[in-house]
Amino acid sequence: MAFYQALPWHAGEDKIHELTRVPPSDNPTHPMLPQYAAKRISVSPTIALGTTDDQDRVWCTLWGGDLPIAQQVAPGGVIGIRTQVDASFDPVVQALYGGKDDGEVVRRDPKNGKMVSGLSIKLEDRDRIKLFGRMMAGSLSTDEAVSEVSERASTEGKGQASKTGNAQLVVQITQSLGNCPKYLNKKTIKSYPSAKPRLVSESTLLTEEAFSHVHNADMFFLASRGPEDMDCNHRGGPPGFIRVQQPTDSTQPQSSVLVWPEYSGNNLYQTLGNIMHDPKIGIVIPDYTAGNVLYVSGHAEVLLDQAASSVIQKSKLAVRFTISSARFVHDGLTFRGEPCTDNKDVSSSHPVTTRSITDGQSPYNPRVRYLTSELPFTTNKTDSISTLPPDEYRPSNSADLTATLTKKTPITPTITKYRFTLSSTNPHSFDPQMSPLWQPGQYIALDFSDELYMGYTHMNDSDPTSLNDDFIRTFTVASIYKPGAEVEFEIIVRNVGVVTKWLSYQNDRSGMTTIEVRGFGGDFRFARAAALDEPEQSEDQTKKNVFIAAGVGITPLLGQIRDEEGAGDGLIVLWTVNIKDIGLAVDVLKSAQEGMKKNLRLFVTGIGNEAGDSKNMKMLAELEQEDSHAEDGLRMERRRLTKDDLTALEEDGKIKIENWCLCTAPAMRKQVQEWLDGKPVIFENFDY
């Protein structure tokens, strides 16, 4: 049995632990290569490597291909790595072999050899081992002739000609650590020996193609330095989780900036601790499918709390990285990776067959968090218009707002109307002379974290997304702003998750449910046909906006049609409601203005699955009976909305459609947009 003394934390790690309020703990890093780790790296088809070059820049790369890439070759943690590499543009290859590519063995002093950090990774199993050691020896043998394809690319100006080569590397490992599988997106790795790398850009200001390359990535690897060692680790998430800031001041150095949120990890913060010690890091961003790869080196900065949330939404911890050197290489990977789903990865040593198909995306991935600079606060009319994502918000202009639940009205078994009273320690928050707290159609951001956050958890397979849940939710305000001693607002909520489920359990009589208000946001105005510029109407046509809603998607409309008398006259509403939600239609129509009712067409679906004498069917029958007695009331259809319904409006010679507005689930929105065949659409974005 082997015993060892835990490695100490260095000053940078102690600092980040203090800032993030991590309780004291031993460093779990092994000062050796245990046998279990040696076994795991021998079955991993990829390995990320980090080192420094002769200009003291930190670089990172990713090698991969046929097994074994790496394996223990001698006692004492000595591993050998052997694979095909890009011999011309891979900065780690150049740093390790010093430009020698003729097969000559490069020898290093094991005690003072070049530092090498590594991350051996098997994406099919979401398995990874962190490594650190020093280079003992290595050799690089390149192809004798430049390939015809590469030479032609150089001649045509598509990139510099290059070579691939067979790399061998011997490293004595002195540190290792097994890591958790969070944020690893599964892929099957296969060798791609016909790779022909081409350097297409060395600009620190990312080209449009490199920009897209970053935003399409679902994984990258980064190398960082401590006082006496190096670290190599990965960051993963949904495609787009890395955001790019392009410089706006042409008088300053033109370098792109990468920003990413730091998701909940193992609470060790070794990478961030290294950045606190030395901001120089290297990053490699691979495109597993096309084989393109972006290498960048530069300086990183750790952002905490307000410094993080002011740069990237819904984040209390993030990293901002400024590029000082870059290489964007086409076809630079000598392997390829294809996504493999959780129930189809039969090649995995631990196949999972009980999970739904995920295209290999980690169940721990949260939604993409956007830069604050990327999120407009108004809606502009373009071919495809989206307001802010529903969980993004603009901070309130009134300090210390809280909302207390005062009334809860169940509408259907899954939909509830809530009324809240706002309170504030700022005596001017509700001053009638001040601008309204919200405008009709806006949403309110409520922070439920005090009630629902249960503290740090490393893993939670039963609810993986909860690890990065800040418990901030946004709801469209269904009422208009009325200044006074007490300001109230209403929201209509469907019970769809942990927050809304908790809210449904609260007692409105106790007055004890008080939630922090983060602010109001959004700009989704559409109630009048003349809502934008008040255009004049022609004598033979009436200008209309068409609003297409599904279920609770009617909510953004409610505050706007109550905003002023006659606001619904210039509006045509096509509203689809499942029979199980017919109670919502009944509730909305109770208070609807006549101008809305006469311009509303209600489509009721799911009737075939409902018993004829059920409560829902009786409510539907009552609505239809009321409709039949009205001279100019709403029209009801026991069917789905179709393309013909939209075509009929366009062909109606008595109206001119100014805007098409949507508030539906993504699948229905996509269908309606296809029906409209490229016409400008304003929609509320609920892609979550």
mmCIF file of all heavy atoms in Angstrom, residues 360-375:
data_model
loop_
_atom_site.group_PDB
_atom_site.id
_atom_site.type_symbol
_atom_site.label_atom_id
_atom_site.label_comp_id
_atom_site.label_asym_id
_atom_site.label_seq_id
_atom_site.Cartn_x
_atom_site.Cartn_y
_atom_site.Cartn_z
ATOM 1 N N GLY A 360 -25.058 13.209 -27.609
ATOM 2 C CA GLY A 360 -23.795 13.263 -26.898
ATOM 3 C C GLY A 360 -23.616 14.444 -25.983
ATOM 4 O O GLY A 360 -22.616 14.534 -25.278
ATOM 5 N N GLN A 361 -24.535 15.407 -25.983
ATOM 6 C CA GLN A 361 -24.392 16.570 -25.125
ATOM 7 C C GLN A 361 -24.518 16.169 -23.652
ATOM 8 O O GLN A 361 -25.365 15.361 -23.284
ATOM 9 C CB GLN A 361 -25.445 17.623 -25.469
ATOM 10 C CG GLN A 361 -25.234 18.289 -26.817
ATOM 11 C CD GLN A 361 -24.030 19.200 -26.824
ATOM 12 O OE1 GLN A 361 -23.941 20.164 -26.069
ATOM 13 N NE2 GLN A 361 -23.071 18.904 -27.694
ATOM 14 N N SER A 362 -23.668 16.731 -22.827
ATOM 15 C CA SER A 362 -23.697 16.412 -21.404
ATOM 16 C C SER A 362 -25.006 16.863 -20.780
ATOM 17 O O SER A 362 -25.478 17.982 -21.033
ATOM 18 C CB SER A 362 -22.538 17.112 -20.686
ATOM 19 O OG SER A 362 -22.673 17.002 -19.288
ATOM 20 N N PRO A 363 -25.615 16.010 -19.952
ATOM 21 C CA PRO A 363 -26.853 16.428 -19.277
ATOM 22 C C PRO A 363 -26.617 17.556 -18.286
ATOM 23 O O PRO A 363 -27.569 18.190 -17.835
ATOM 24 C CB PRO A 363 -27.310 15.144 -18.567
ATOM 25 C CG PRO A 363 -26.072 14.334 -18.397
ATOM 26 C CD PRO A 363 -25.229 14.638 -19.597
ATOM 27 N N TYR A 364 -25.361 17.832 -17.953
ATOM 28 C CA TYR A 364 -25.045 18.910 -17.017
ATOM 29 C C TYR A 364 -24.918 20.268 -17.705
ATOM 30 O O TYR A 364 -24.758 21.286 -17.032
ATOM 31 C CB TYR A 364 -23.748 18.589 -16.268
ATOM 32 C CG TYR A 364 -23.936 17.564 -15.177
ATOM 33 C CD1 TYR A 364 -23.838 16.204 -15.450
ATOM 34 C CD2 TYR A 364 -24.252 17.943 -13.879
ATOM 35 C CE1 TYR A 364 -24.033 15.252 -14.458
ATOM 36 C CE2 TYR A 364 -24.441 17.004 -12.873
ATOM 37 C CZ TYR A 364 -24.333 15.661 -13.170
ATOM 38 O OH TYR A 364 -24.534 14.718 -12.174
ATOM 39 N N ASN A 365 -24.961 20.295 -19.023
ATOM 40 C CA ASN A 365 -24.817 21.564 -19.734
ATOM 41 C C ASN A 365 -25.970 22.506 -19.413
ATOM 42 O O ASN A 365 -27.132 22.145 -19.619
ATOM 43 C CB ASN A 365 -24.778 21.344 -21.246
ATOM 44 C CG ASN A 365 -23.500 20.699 -21.718
ATOM 45 O OD1 ASN A 365 -22.528 20.604 -20.978
ATOM 46 N ND2 ASN A 365 -23.490 20.247 -22.960
ATOM 47 N N PRO A 366 -25.689 23.714 -18.938
ATOM 48 C CA PRO A 366 -26.766 24.709 -18.832
ATOM 49 C C PRO A 366 -27.017 25.348 -20.186
ATOM 50 O O PRO A 366 -26.360 25.009 -21.178
ATOM 51 C CB PRO A 366 -26.200 25.717 -17.831
ATOM 52 C CG PRO A 366 -24.729 25.616 -18.004
ATOM 53 C CD PRO A 366 -24.419 24.194 -18.427
ATOM 54 N N ARG A 367 -27.961 26.268 -20.245
ATOM 55 C CA ARG A 367 -28.207 26.995 -21.488
ATOM 56 C C ARG A 367 -27.086 28.002 -21.736
ATOM 57 O O ARG A 367 -26.359 28.388 -20.822
ATOM 58 C CB ARG A 367 -29.563 27.711 -21.418
ATOM 59 C CG ARG A 367 -30.741 26.768 -21.303
ATOM 60 C CD ARG A 367 -32.058 27.529 -21.477
ATOM 61 N NE ARG A 367 -32.293 28.467 -20.406
ATOM 62 C CZ ARG A 367 -32.890 28.157 -19.263
ATOM 63 N NH1 ARG A 367 -33.286 26.907 -19.047
ATOM 64 N NH2 ARG A 367 -33.101 29.064 -18.327
ATOM 65 N N VAL A 368 -26.974 28.412 -22.985
ATOM 66 C CA VAL A 368 -25.948 29.398 -23.352
ATOM 67 C C VAL A 368 -26.206 30.700 -22.592
ATOM 68 O O VAL A 368 -27.343 31.168 -22.496
ATOM 69 C CB VAL A 368 -25.961 29.655 -24.869
ATOM 70 C CG1 VAL A 368 -25.049 30.830 -25.223
ATOM 71 C CG2 VAL A 368 -25.535 28.407 -25.624
ATOM 72 N N ARG A 369 -25.139 31.256 -22.076
ATOM 73 C CA ARG A 369 -25.212 32.554 -21.410
ATOM 74 C C ARG A 369 -24.530 33.583 -22.306
ATOM 75 O O ARG A 369 -23.370 33.426 -22.682
ATOM 76 C CB ARG A 369 -24.522 32.492 -20.044
ATOM 77 C CG ARG A 369 -25.153 31.453 -19.122
ATOM 78 C CD ARG A 369 -24.397 31.320 -17.820
ATOM 79 N NE ARG A 369 -24.951 30.240 -17.008
ATOM 80 C CZ ARG A 369 -24.459 29.872 -15.825
ATOM 81 N NH1 ARG A 369 -23.407 30.495 -15.337
ATOM 82 N NH2 ARG A 369 -25.021 28.884 -15.150
ATOM 83 N N TYR A 370 -25.257 34.623 -22.638
ATOM 84 C CA TYR A 370 -24.766 35.606 -23.601
ATOM 85 C C TYR A 370 -24.051 36.762 -22.919
ATOM 86 O O TYR A 370 -24.308 37.085 -21.753
ATOM 87 C CB TYR A 370 -25.931 36.145 -24.436
ATOM 88 C CG TYR A 370 -26.592 35.093 -25.287
ATOM 89 C CD1 TYR A 370 -27.658 34.342 -24.796
ATOM 90 C CD2 TYR A 370 -26.141 34.834 -26.575
ATOM 91 C CE1 TYR A 370 -28.261 33.364 -25.569
ATOM 92 C CE2 TYR A 370 -26.732 33.864 -27.354
ATOM 93 C CZ TYR A 370 -27.795 33.127 -26.847
ATOM 94 O OH TYR A 370 -28.380 32.159 -27.611
ATOM 95 N N LEU A 371 -23.158 37.390 -23.666
ATOM 96 C CA LEU A 371 -22.534 38.616 -23.177
ATOM 97 C C LEU A 371 -23.588 39.702 -23.038
ATOM 98 O O LEU A 371 -24.533 39.768 -23.831
ATOM 99 C CB LEU A 371 -21.446 39.080 -24.146
ATOM 100 C CG LEU A 371 -20.266 38.136 -24.388
ATOM 101 C CD1 LEU A 371 -19.359 38.709 -25.465
ATOM 102 C CD2 LEU A 371 -19.492 37.885 -23.105
ATOM 103 N N THR A 372 -23.430 40.544 -22.043
ATOM 104 C CA THR A 372 -24.378 41.649 -21.886
ATOM 105 C C THR A 372 -24.349 42.565 -23.102
ATOM 106 O O THR A 372 -25.361 43.153 -23.467
ATOM 107 C CB THR A 372 -24.054 42.459 -20.625
ATOM 108 O OG1 THR A 372 -22.686 42.893 -20.679
ATOM 109 C CG2 THR A 372 -24.251 41.619 -19.375
ATOM 110 N N SER A 373 -23.196 42.659 -23.747
ATOM 111 C CA SER A 373 -23.079 43.501 -24.942
ATOM 112 C C SER A 373 -23.776 42.889 -26.150
ATOM 113 O O SER A 373 -24.026 43.583 -27.140
ATOM 114 C CB SER A 373 -21.606 43.737 -25.278
ATOM 115 O OG SER A 373 -20.937 42.494 -25.507
ATOM 116 N N GLU A 374 -24.086 41.601 -26.094
ATOM 117 C CA GLU A 374 -24.752 40.939 -27.218
ATOM 118 C C GLU A 374 -26.262 41.056 -27.159
ATOM 119 O O GLU A 374 -26.938 40.780 -28.139
ATOM 120 C CB GLU A 374 -24.417 39.441 -27.229
ATOM 121 C CG GLU A 374 -22.997 39.093 -27.543
ATOM 122 C CD GLU A 374 -22.778 37.598 -27.515
ATOM 123 O OE1 GLU A 374 -22.737 37.020 -26.420
ATOM 124 O OE2 GLU A 374 -22.665 37.008 -28.605
ATOM 125 N N LEU A 375 -26.802 41.448 -26.010
ATOM 126 C CA LEU A 375 -28.232 41.373 -25.798
ATOM 127 C C LEU A 375 -28.876 42.746 -25.928
ATOM 128 O O LEU A 375 -28.762 43.583 -25.039
ATOM 129 C CB LEU A 375 -28.528 40.801 -24.409
ATOM 130 C CG LEU A 375 -28.029 39.375 -24.216
ATOM 131 C CD1 LEU A 375 -28.136 38.985 -22.764
ATOM 132 C CD2 LEU A 375 -28.807 38.418 -25.088
#
